[in-house]
Amino acid sequence: MPLVDIEVIEGVFDTAQKAQMIEKVTNAMVEVEGEAMRGVTWVRVKEIRSGQWGIGGNTPSAADIKAMAAK
């Protein structure tokens, strides 16, 4: 029974986008494991609050990340 965790920054992805992540990751796992594993493939999306993570020594906010994605 596979378990896949996806960690994202809180407030960057909406509910529909997180559902799409779950669907696509499940499909990718099923491609590897076989269709019989679909019903027991777990995918969890965990949101990490701003200030609880960093990159390059900085702690960007969700707004900073959205601005980067919009470029």
Side-chain angles (χ1 to χ4, degrees):
M1 172 168 55
L3 169 62
V4 180
D5 283 331
I6 303 170
E7 294 188 4
V8 299
I9 302 149
E10 185 177 55
V12 173
F13 298 98
D14 63 29
T15 301
Q17 290 171 314
K18 289 184 273 188
Q20 188 176 24
M21 286 180 212
I22 292 167
E23 178 184 1
K24 289 185 177 206
V25 169
T26 298
N27 289 340
M29 293 301 295
V30 167
E31 281 187 40
V32 172
E33 304 170 315
E35 189 61 41
M37 295 300 284
R38 183 177 297 278
V40 295
T41 299
W42 294 38
V43 179
R44 301 185 299 188
V45 178
K46 299 178 178 185
E47 290 190 303
I48 308 301
R49 285 181 284 155
S50 291
Q52 299 293 313
W53 67 278
I55 184 168
N58 299 307
T59 55
S61 68
D64 295 332
I65 300 302
K66 286 182 178 182
M68 288 172 52
K71 290 182 181 180

